[in-house]
Amino acid sequence: MAISGITEKLLAAKKAKGISFADLEKVLGRDEVWIAAVIYRQATASADEAEKIISALGLDSEMAAVLCEPPLKGSLESSVPVDPLIYRFYEIMQVYGMPLKAVIHEKFGDGIMSAIDFTLDVEKEADPKGDRVKIIMSGKFLEYKKW
């Protein structure tokens, strides 16, 4: 995945300041995953949110305008991802995509889960066998229209 120049600058400033996405969540009052999506140019910030991000990272205020522009979403390359963490999500969909689709259709009917009216949370779950990653996705169900 090619990372944009603005993303590189934001991530470099975040690293230099030693700030986590959870730290930015406290500053903005927005979820850390959503903030990461703004930084990776997959979500749009308001002017106030952009100023808070830029200020927390100690960057010039003119950079805030870019975070307010609607981004080109879904910018992963179309080939199978090679990053091991991202590949696991691809693998999960290869193995469980059709079963998830079948269960969702059985419970809700013919439709999709919105990625627009959507939240995503990442939690760390302690386990004696090794910490676990808990991902909670919540999207509005959208029934296919009949005409």
Side-chain angles (χ1 to χ4, degrees), residues 58-97:
L59 296 169
D60 295 328
S61 61
E62 65 266 5
M63 289 182 72
V66 176
L67 301 182
C68 299
E69 296 172 4
L72 177 61
K73 296 181 186 221
S75 59
L76 289 177
E77 297 172 12
S78 61
S79 61
V80 175
V82 295
D83 177 86
L85 181 66
I86 296 171
Y87 174 77
R88 288 298 169 249
F89 289 102
Y90 178 82
E91 179 182 37
I92 289 166
M93 285 301 108
Q94 288 293 319
V95 174
Y96 296 106

Side-chain angles (χ1 to χ4, degrees), residues 25-120:
E25 179 176 359
K26 292 173 189 163
V27 172
L28 270 77
R30 295 271 186 207
D31 187 85
E32 63 186 333
V33 176
W34 182 83
I35 295 166
V38 170
I39 288 175
Y40 277 91
R41 299 307 302 127
Q42 295 298 305
T44 306
S46 69
D48 182 57
E49 292 160 341
E51 285 295 335
K52 286 179 181 176
I53 291 170
I54 297 304
S55 176
L57 298 178
L59 296 169
D60 295 328
S61 61
E62 65 266 5
M63 289 182 72
V66 176
L67 301 182
C68 299
E69 296 172 4
L72 177 61
K73 296 181 186 221
S75 59
L76 289 177
E77 297 172 12
S78 61
S79 61
V80 175
V82 295
D83 177 86
L85 181 66
I86 296 171
Y87 174 77
R88 288 298 169 249
F89 289 102
Y90 178 82
E91 179 182 37
I92 289 166
M93 285 301 108
Q94 288 293 319
V95 174
Y96 296 106
M98 291 305 293
L100 277 169
K101 177 180 171 59
V103 170
I104 289 169
H105 285 181
E106 191 174 275
K107 291 183 181 215
F108 293 90
D110 189 17
I112 62 171
M113 180 177 73
S114 175
I116 295 171
D117 190 343
F118 180 83
T119 60
L120 176 66

